[in-house]
């Protein structure tokens, strides 16, 4: 038999046909994964970061715990997320992404519900540490791995849609949790969020597949002959030792951690920052909601820019926007500057997870992604966990929020330099850049 060879002309026709299917033709199962991951982002971002805006002052008032001490203890507690990355990546490789997501959702639900009974600093550290571990595990390890499995060429667009969930978390998680505290009381209010996590675990068990091939589909919902994918095994042939010796692994981990320092530093203390300017808590929460809603289009916008400009150019632009937003917020006592900072912070909120995930996935495509985040995310987490220490130091020794934000601007400058030096050429089978 004469073996048929595919010609460039046929491949071009296939590419055109794929483009005609539309950038957002993800298919029913693909949209199911996107919506599911968007909700995971909503829950995790609120539980691990945004929720501290009301959790810390509420526990402080209920149990008489010093607020500044709770804020400082949030840093060592959040270090548990460092161990989540290798542990959950290992679980994803051994038992599958879906299994990891379900286990972490159940664990996070139990620990977050128990957080309402944290009458001591020790119990807060232990429980919030567990919440950080499991929250990272189901959304930022398992969830992003799920997206990496399902989307390759359209990953930026898919993450753009998913990031809307994280943006809406900034808008609605804090008022939702505050409302649950009023409606059910503090101790039972935490369990309202836990119930959502258990519902998501059921959704994963029934409707989510580890990868599209498991349900007879292809990545990006595109034909395999469109020249877009090479399906291979799902066990990476890159070793941990190889990853640890790669310069770009360390650059990506430290740089994306720097991005999260800016995000957590601003968003994690957004409400207290506004209250320090003389506004009541209700107004501060309202402003946070406004900022998130203003920035909702940015969730898709950063994904679209990633798709059009490439992830490196986009993440450099994104980091620069964060630096400018923080500088503007230093002068937020003026009405115009306050609203300008709300606009810029809102636009920046949804981009961190989208672009940091896309950066890792660009360097380590598909089957390499799980192995890579076992190393990259712990580095990222170590850096990110310094956010509260930086805030605490700035608030205590550098004259309040202005001094703390100056430190965040310095972090942004270092991050830009590291990203500029990063080579994002995809890895080949031997673990070397193409």
């Amino acid at each position: 038999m004469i073996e048929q060879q595919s010609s460039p002309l046929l491949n071009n026709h296939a590419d055109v046909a794929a483009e005609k299917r539309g950038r957002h033709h993800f298919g029913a199962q693909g949209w199911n994964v996107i919506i599911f991951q968007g909700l995971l982002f909503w829950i995790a971002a609120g539980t691990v970061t945004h929720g501290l805006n009301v959790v810390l002052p509420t526990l402080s008032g209920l149990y008489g715990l010093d607020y500044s001490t709770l804020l400082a203890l949030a840093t060592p507690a959040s270090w548990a997320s460092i161990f989540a990355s290798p542990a959950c990546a290992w679980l994803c490789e051994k038992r599958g992404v879906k299994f990891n997501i379900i286990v972490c959702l159940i664990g996070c639900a139990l620990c977050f519900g128990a957080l309402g009974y944290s009458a001591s600093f020790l119990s807060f550290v232990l429980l919030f540490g567990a919440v950080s571990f499991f929250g990272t595990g189901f959304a930022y390890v398992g969830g992003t791995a799920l997206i990496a499995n399902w989307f390759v060429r359209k990953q930026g667009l898919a993450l753009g849609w998913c990031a809307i969930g994280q943006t809406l978390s900034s808008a609605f998680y804090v008022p939702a949790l505050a409302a649950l505290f009023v409606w059910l009381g503090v101790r039972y209010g935490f369990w309202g969020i836990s119930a959502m996590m258990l519902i998501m675990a059921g959704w994963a068990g029934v409707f989510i597949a580890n990868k599209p091939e498991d349900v007879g589909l292809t990545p990006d919902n595109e034909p395999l002959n469109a020249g877009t994918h090479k399906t291979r095994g799902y066990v990476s042939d890159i070793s941990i030792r190889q990853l640890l010796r790669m310069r770009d692994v360390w650059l990506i981990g430290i740089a994306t951690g720097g991005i999260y320092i800016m995000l957590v530093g601003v968003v994690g203390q957004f409400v207290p920052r506004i209250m320090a300017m003389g506004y009541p808590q209700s107004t501060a929460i309202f402003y946070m909601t406004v900022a998130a809603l203003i920035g909702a289009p940015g969730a898709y916008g950063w994904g679209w820019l990633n798709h059009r400009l490439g992830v490196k150019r986009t993440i450099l632009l994104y980091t620069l926007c964060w630096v400018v937003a923080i500088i503007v917020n230093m002068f937020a006592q003026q009405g115009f500057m306050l609203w300008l900072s709300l606009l810029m912070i809102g636009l920046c909120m949804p981009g961190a997870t989208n672009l940091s995930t896309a950066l890792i996935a660009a360097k380590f495509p598909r089957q390499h992604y799980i192995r890579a985040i076992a190393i990259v995310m712990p580095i990222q987490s170590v850096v990110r966990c310094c956010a509260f220490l930086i805030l605490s130091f700035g608030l205590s020794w550098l004259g309040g929020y202005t001094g703390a934000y100056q430190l965040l601007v310095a972090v942004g400058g270092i991050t830009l330099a590291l990203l500029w030096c990063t080579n994002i050429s995809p890895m080949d089978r031997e673990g070397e850049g193409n």
Side-chain angles (χ1 to χ4, degrees), residues 202-413:
W203 183 348
V206 177
F207 299 110
I208 297 297
N210 284 312
K211 54 186 183 291
E213 290 88 341
D214 291 345
V215 288
L217 301 174
T218 58
D220 298 324
N221 194 38
E222 291 184 356
L224 286 177
N225 64 351
T228 57
H229 311 291
K230 292 181 181 179
T231 57
R232 297 204 301 244
Y234 276 78
V235 177
S236 175
D237 48 15
I238 299 177
S239 70
I240 296 298
R241 178 176 296 180
Q242 284 178 293
L243 289 168
L244 287 171
R245 294 170 61 185
M246 292 179 190
R247 170 176 171 268
D248 292 315
V249 166
W250 293 92
L251 288 175
I252 292 173
I254 296 171
T256 55
I259 289 174
Y260 275 106
I261 285 180
M262 293 186 289
L263 173 67
V264 174
V266 173
V267 178
Q269 287 297 292
F270 188 96
V271 172
R273 158 67 170 159
I274 299 297
M275 292 176 65
M277 295 165 55
Y279 294 94
Q281 186 186 56
S282 58
T283 302
I285 292 176
F286 171 73
Y287 282 160
M288 185 173 185
T289 303
V290 168
L293 291 177
I294 288 174
Y300 175 75
W302 293 114
W304 181 83
L305 283 174
N306 177 9
H307 190 72
R308 301 295 297 180
L309 302 180
V311 66
K312 184 170 181 177
R313 291 179 181 177
T314 305
I315 201 168
L316 283 168
L317 177 62
Y318 172 77
T319 304
L320 181 61
C321 287
W322 253 127
V323 171
V324 175
I326 295 170
I327 292 174
V328 171
N329 193 257
M330 292 181 191
F331 305 93
Q333 290 81 3
Q334 305 172 23
F336 172 76
M337 298 298 280
L338 172 61
W339 284 100
L340 180 59
S341 70
L342 292 180
L343 171 63
M344 297 193 68
I345 291 171
L347 289 172
C348 288
M349 280 182 184
T353 301
N354 179 343
L355 295 175
S356 62
T357 300
L359 187 67
I360 299 170
K363 184 70 179 180
F364 305 99
R366 225 174 175 213
Q367 80 278 6
H368 298 315
Y369 179 82
I370 285 292
R371 186 67 56 83
I373 61 174
I375 302 300
V376 176
M377 287 194 69
I379 299 171
Q380 179 192 102
S381 298
V382 169
V383 178
R384 182 190 66 206
C385 289
C386 296
F388 293 121
L389 285 177
I390 291 173
L391 275 177
S392 180
F393 180 82
L395 292 173
S396 301
W397 299 98
L398 298 179
Y401 281 101
T402 298
Y405 281 18
Q406 288 173 349
L407 292 177
L408 295 182
V409 169
V411 169

Side-chain angles (χ1 to χ4, degrees), residues 63 108-119 123 127 187 190-191 194:
Y63 295 113
C108 196
L110 296 176
C111 294
F112 191 73
L115 198 60
Y117 304 92
S118 299
S123 62
L127 287 171
R187 293 180 179 86
F190 282 94
W191 289 103
S194 296

